[in-house]
Amino acid sequence: METLIDLSKAFGWLAAIIVNLLIAWIVWSLHKKFMNRDDCEANRKADKKERERFIQLLTTHEQAVRELNLRVDQMPHGLDVRLERMDGEQKRMAEEISGLRGIMERVERQVDLLFRGHMKD
C-alpha cells in the first residue's frame, strides 16, 4: 500500500497532466463533432436558397410542359389520321420490298446456275 502512495506522490503530476489532456481532447472532439449556431444558420440559409432555386426550376419546367400539352392539343386531329395512313403505307412498302428481295434471290440463283452452266462448256 505504501508503494501505491509513493507512486502517486512521485508521478501524481504526470497522471494529472494526462487526465487534463484527455479531458481537453474530449472537449475538442465534441466541439468538432457538433455544429455551432453560426454554421447552422449559414447552412440553413444556403439550403433555403437552393430549395428556392429548385422550386423555381420546377415551376418553369411545369410551365413548359403545360405549353407543350396545349400545343399538342391544338394540333389538328386529321394529322393523326394522316400519320396512321403513312404508317400503314410504310408497312405495305416494307412488305413489298421483302417480297422483291425474295424475287431477286431467285433471279440470282437462276443467273448463278446459267453462269455455272456456261463455265463448264
Side-chain angles (χ1 to χ4, degrees):
M1 193 69 153
E2 286 183 26
T3 57
L4 187 59
I5 293 173
D6 289 338
L7 280 174
S8 67
K9 285 181 184 179
F11 297 107
W13 59 273
L14 184 60
I17 290 174
I18 291 173
V19 168
N20 283 332
L21 287 175
L22 183 63
I23 290 172
W25 178 71
I26 290 172
V27 169
W28 178 79
S29 294
L30 288 175
H31 176 70
K32 290 293 181 186
K33 185 174 184 178
F34 296 110
M35 183 183 292
N36 60 18
R37 290 180 190 253
D38 296 333
D39 291 340
C40 183
E41 287 298 320
N43 284 335
R44 281 185 182 173
K45 287 178 183 176
D47 188 43
K48 185 177 179 181
K49 286 180 183 177
E50 189 66 26
R51 203 175 292 140
E52 288 172 356
R53 188 186 68 79
F54 185 68
I55 288 172
Q56 183 181 9
L57 183 68
L58 279 177
T59 55
T60 56
H61 179 70
E62 287 174 357
Q63 184 179 4
V65 167
R66 273 191 235 114
E67 289 175 6
L68 285 174
N69 284 336
L70 285 174
R71 286 183 185 172
V72 167
D73 290 341
Q74 291 172 356
M75 291 178 118
H77 293 293
L79 184 65
D80 293 336
V81 173
R82 281 186 255 152
L83 286 175
E84 286 186 25
R85 190 177 307 142
M86 287 175 58
D87 186 43
E89 288 178 17
Q90 182 183 11
K91 287 179 182 176
R92 184 182 57 81
M93 292 295 287
E95 290 296 323
E96 284 183 19
I97 289 172
S98 67
L100 290 175
R101 183 178 299 131
I103 292 171
M104 287 297 293
E105 288 174 358
R106 286 193 298 262
V107 168
E108 285 178 359
R109 268 188 257 133
Q110 294 296 324
V111 169
D112 284 341
L113 289 173
L114 286 173
F115 187 70
R116 286 183 194 164
H118 285 295
M119 292 299 282
K120 288 181 182 178
D121 293 337

